[in-house]
């Protein structure tokens, strides 16, 4: 969509939808938030939804459905086998991506599990532009290893590079020569790199990377979970693509890859997932894994009602008016914070606004999880739940030392069609207040540390009484109920 121009006011993002169903929110008093944070083990995943005012933890499965999506759920065919809902979903995905074979799964990480289970053997290498926590864990669990070959500027937090998610082609070629093409299970491209700030990858870079992989006979895999944001950035930032429609760009991207998988919790606005496979033999070689781990081949662990909603959601994802809203809200938030001097990841990407925790809490040692401390502090200062995306989200080295994250961030996700501009302004205000009081924030240490995916269920405690001091300073400015 063209951005809405304003005459007498500074331009702001304008929602291309109207609100018809609402959910009541409440803002707990600051001292109650402190109590809830202790009960949650200073891990925002441990908070109850009723504890939260602004839930910016994730965009996964919490996007707003349209009226057409909800009405489509009424026609779901709940047959265990041979559901007509499945065939409608398969046909819609083939229409959009041009790939004939679909294996359904209950969400994106289930797709990653099936793909890794089939292709990764002990000692294998998987090349990625950048990892996602589960995509890496599925490979390492099977004895493989991941090579992240993001372009150098991808890890520079403040930048004007429009495509920081691009993979470095020279590094890819060097890796293939070192590992040997036969030892590389696949090349995985994440369209919208989650862990470096939702930064997009260009179509030109995807094309060059897949051509290089095909030169060596290496399978190519696209993680399309965040594709809708990436489509917006390709359309608006890549000169050669601005005369293409979203559907045309989607098909051009899909034509580059052997396998495309997605989380429907992001792509399609529902709760599910799927693996699209071009080669019929590979499809048949993989299909037995679906009944074993997910469900029968015509539902794959998904609710058929969600499947029907996603069929409509796939079409809505091809609508520029729909997919432009979240990136514009994110840009508004990032630019406002940047202008206020708050360290953020730039340029604004997809998925959410990302705070540079390493710079904001430069006084907190890396081993005391600055991003984890910052996200806990933000909840104390406004009931805002974000997600730690830093060292806590990594796993320890074999010797027990911390694997320090390349980028230490707090993600403030913007689920599609959920938040208003007023709520966004509240977030900007509270982040600015916290930044101005950052000296009050200290570190965290684990009291319960799972070996895998510790950021989900781990429990932590502050290294001092900094949370109490922060809350008292907050109350002094905003009052008991603020």
């Amino acid at each position: 969509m063209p951005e809405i121009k304003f005459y007498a006011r500074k331009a702001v993002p304008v929602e291309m939808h109207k609100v018809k169903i609402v959910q009541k929110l409440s803002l707990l008093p600051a001292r109650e938030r402190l109590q809830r944070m202790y009960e949650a083990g200073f891990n925002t995943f441990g908070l109850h939804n009723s504890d939260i005012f602004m839930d910016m933890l994730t965009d996964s499965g919490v996007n707003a459905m349209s009226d057409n999506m909800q009405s489509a759920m009424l026609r779901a065919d709940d047959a265990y086998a041979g559901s007509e809902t499945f065939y409608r979903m398969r046909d819609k995905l083939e229409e959009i991506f041009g790939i004939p074979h679909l294996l359904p799964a209950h969400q994106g990480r289930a797709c990653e599990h099936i793909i890794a289970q089939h292709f990764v053997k002990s000692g294998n290498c998987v090349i990625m532009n950048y990892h996602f926590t589960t995509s890496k864990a599925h490979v390492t669990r099977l004895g493989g290893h991941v090579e992240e070959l993001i372009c150098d500027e991808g890890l520079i937090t403040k930048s004007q590079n429009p495509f920081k998610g691009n993979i470095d082609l020279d590094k890819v070629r060097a890796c293939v020569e070192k590992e040997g093409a036969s030892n590389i299970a696949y090349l995985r491209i994440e369209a919208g790199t989650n862990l470096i700030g939702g930064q997009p990858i260009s179509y030109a870079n995807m094309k060059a990377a897949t051509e290089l992989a095909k030169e060596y006979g290496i399978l190519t895999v696209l993680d399309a979970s965040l594709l809708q944001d990436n489509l917006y950035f390709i359309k608006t930032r890549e000169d050669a693509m601005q005369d293409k429609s979203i559907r045309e760009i989607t098909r051009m991207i899909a034509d580059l890859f052997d396998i495309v998988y997605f989380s429907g919790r992001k792509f399609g606005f529902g709760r599910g997932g799927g693996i699209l496979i071009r080669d019929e033999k590979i499809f048949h070689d993989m299909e037995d894994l679906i009944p074993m781990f997910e469900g029968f081949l015509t539902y794959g662990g998904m609710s058929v009602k969600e499947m029907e909603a996603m069929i409509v959601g796939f079409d809505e994802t091809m609508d520029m008016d729909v997919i432009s809203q979240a990136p514009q809200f994110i840009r508004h938030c990032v630019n406002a914070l940047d202008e206020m001097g708050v360290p953020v990841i730039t340029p604004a990407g997809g998925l959410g606004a990302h705070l540079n925790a390493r710079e904001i809490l430069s006084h907190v040692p890396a081993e005391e999880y600055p991003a984890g401390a910052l996200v806990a502090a933000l909840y104390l200062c406004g009931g805002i739940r974000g997600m730690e995306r830093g060292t806590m989200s990594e796993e320890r080295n074999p010797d027990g030392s911390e694997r320090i994250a390349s980028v230490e961030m707090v993600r403030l996700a913007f689920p599609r069609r959920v938040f208003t501009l007023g709520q966004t302004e509240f977030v900007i205000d509270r982040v600015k207040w916290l930044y101005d009081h950052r000296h009050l924030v200290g570190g965290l240490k684990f009291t319960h540390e799972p070996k895998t995916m510790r950021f989900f269920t781990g429990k932590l405690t502050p290294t001092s009484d900094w949370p109490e001091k922060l809350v008292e300073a907050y109350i002094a400015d905003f009052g008991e109920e603020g």
Side-chain angles (χ1 to χ4, degrees):
M1 62 170 264
E3 294 187 24
I4 303 297
K5 299 186 186 305
F6 280 62
Y7 169 66
R9 303 276 293 173
K10 181 180 178 181
V12 295
V14 176
E15 299 90 335
M16 300 300 289
H17 59 266
K18 62 182 179 181
V19 177
K20 297 178 72 173
I21 298 176
V22 297
Q23 180 179 7
K24 189 176 186 300
L25 299 174
S26 61
L27 178 60
L28 295 179
R31 289 195 178 96
E32 285 191 38
R33 297 198 296 268
L34 178 62
Q35 180 183 342
R36 299 293 192 276
M37 197 77 264
Y38 272 103
E39 292 169 355
F42 277 79
N43 183 342
T44 54
F45 278 96
L47 292 166
H48 292 203
N49 190 47
S50 57
D51 301 335
I52 297 156
F53 177 56
M54 291 280 292
D55 194 356
M56 307 182 84
L57 182 79
T58 182
D59 65 336
S60 180
V62 292
N63 299 295
M65 285 189 181
S66 68
D67 51 354
N68 290 328
M69 290 179 70
Q70 292 194 29
S71 62
M73 297 171 79
L74 297 175
R75 72 168 184 170
D77 177 2
D78 61 359
Y80 182 89
S83 167
E84 293 301 330
T85 292
F86 168 79
Y87 296 114
R88 284 192 284 269
M89 181 183 219
R90 182 197 64 185
D91 293 348
K92 177 57 66 177
L93 287 166
E94 184 176 7
E95 172 194 317
I96 292 172
F97 288 97
I99 300 176
H101 305 296
L102 167 65
L103 293 177
H106 77 274
Q107 64 182 82
R109 70 195 56 180
C111 299
E112 292 171 340
H113 169 230
I114 298 298
I115 292 169
Q117 190 74 32
H118 181 73
F119 290 107
V120 177
K121 306 295 185 292
S122 181
N124 280 175
C125 171
V126 174
I127 295 174
M128 303 183 183
N129 52 341
Y130 208 73
H131 79 283
F132 182 60
T133 48
T134 52
S135 64
K136 184 175 182 179
H138 283 301
V139 172
T140 57
R141 182 182 65 84
L142 295 167
H145 64 279
V146 168
E147 292 292 333
E148 296 171 320
L149 305 180
I150 194 79
C151 65
D152 290 343
E153 198 164 357
L155 302 180
I156 297 174
T157 54
K158 198 170 184 63
S159 167
Q160 294 304 313
N161 185 335
F163 292 107
K164 286 164 62 176
N166 281 359
I167 196 166
D168 189 306
L169 301 175
D170 291 335
K171 292 178 184 177
V172 173
R173 190 177 292 276
C175 180
V176 175
E177 295 295 338
K178 176 187 173 185
E179 293 281 344
S182 62
N183 193 50
I184 296 174
Y186 48 87
L187 167 75
R188 172 186 173 270
I189 293 294
E190 186 174 321
T193 43
N194 193 314
L195 296 184
I196 62 168
Q199 297 297 316
I201 178 172
S202 70
Y203 170 77
N205 185 252
M206 283 189 271
K207 186 173 188 294
T210 52
E211 286 176 350
L212 180 56
K214 287 176 171 58
E215 177 185 330
Y216 288 98
I218 296 170
L219 189 79
T220 56
V221 176
L222 173 68
D223 179 350
S225 301
L226 295 175
L227 181 62
Q228 65 175 11
D229 289 346
N230 210 114
L231 288 167
Y232 170 82
F233 292 121
I234 288 175
K235 172 73 173 174
T236 58
R237 295 181 181 177
E238 194 164 357
D239 291 342
M241 307 300 287
Q242 291 182 8
D243 64 339
K244 306 290 185 186
S245 70
I246 294 299
R247 282 184 180 269
E248 288 173 322
I249 297 170
T250 302
R251 184 59 177 270
M252 290 171 67
I253 291 171
D255 286 347
L256 302 175
F257 290 90
D258 299 305
I259 292 175
V260 175
Y261 76 91
F262 63 91
S263 168
R265 299 175 71 89
K266 297 176 173 67
F267 182 82
F269 308 109
R271 296 171 183 84
I275 308 170
L276 303 173
I277 303 169
R278 195 173 302 281
D279 183 89
E280 186 174 6
K281 182 180 185 306
I282 294 176
F283 168 73
H284 287 306
D285 287 345
M286 293 176 66
E287 65 183 348
D288 63 316
L289 294 172
I290 299 299
M292 184 179 297
F293 293 112
E294 295 296 305
F296 191 68
L297 288 167
T298 53
Y299 76 96
M302 286 185 278
S303 157
V304 288
K305 290 182 174 61
E306 295 278 355
M307 291 169 71
E308 286 287 0
M310 278 192 290
I311 294 167
V312 177
F314 297 145
D315 273 333
E316 293 182 1
T317 301
M318 298 294 104
D319 183 343
M320 190 64 169
D321 283 348
V322 172
I323 67 173
S324 63
Q325 189 248 332
Q328 289 187 38
F329 266 61
I330 293 164
R331 185 180 65 200
H332 176 80
C333 183
V334 167
N335 289 351
L337 291 170
D338 191 38
E339 289 170 5
M340 293 174 176
V342 179
V344 288
I345 307 301
T346 62
L351 203 163
H354 294 77
L355 310 180
N356 185 348
R358 180 166 289 146
E359 188 172 341
I360 293 172
L361 299 185
S362 58
H363 58 283
V364 175
E367 293 78 11
E368 293 184 9
Y369 315 115
L374 185 63
V375 77
L378 186 58
Y379 172 73
L380 298 177
C381 299
I384 302 161
R385 175 163 71 166
M387 186 189 292
E388 187 275 352
R389 297 278 71 172
T391 299
M392 262 179 63
S393 293
E394 297 285 347
E395 295 180 6
R396 289 184 182 269
N397 294 312
D399 65 1
S401 62
E402 285 289 358
R403 180 181 286 116
I404 305 302
S406 301
V407 184
E408 191 83 16
M409 305 180 305
V410 167
R411 184 180 77 197
L412 301 177
F414 277 77
R416 284 81 176 170
R417 304 182 287 202
V418 171
F419 295 130
T420 66
L421 191 60
Q423 291 167 330
T424 303
E425 290 294 332
F426 173 84
V427 171
I428 293 167
D429 183 78
R430 291 309 190 262
V431 171
K432 171 59 174 169
W433 185 92
L434 179 56
Y435 177 66
D436 289 346
H437 294 78
R438 62 193 180 278
H439 62 282
L440 295 175
V441 181
L444 300 172
K445 60 183 179 181
F446 274 102
T447 59
H448 166 64
E449 184 177 353
K451 291 183 178 179
T452 304
M453 301 289 175
R454 60 184 182 171
F455 67 94
F456 275 135
T457 56
K459 300 286 187 181
L460 302 98
T461 193
T463 56
S464 69
D465 63 348
W466 68 259
E468 286 77 10
K469 292 178 179 176
L470 183 69
V471 166
E472 291 308 315
Y474 183 89
I475 290 172
D477 283 350
F478 294 101
E480 293 281 347
E481 300 299 317

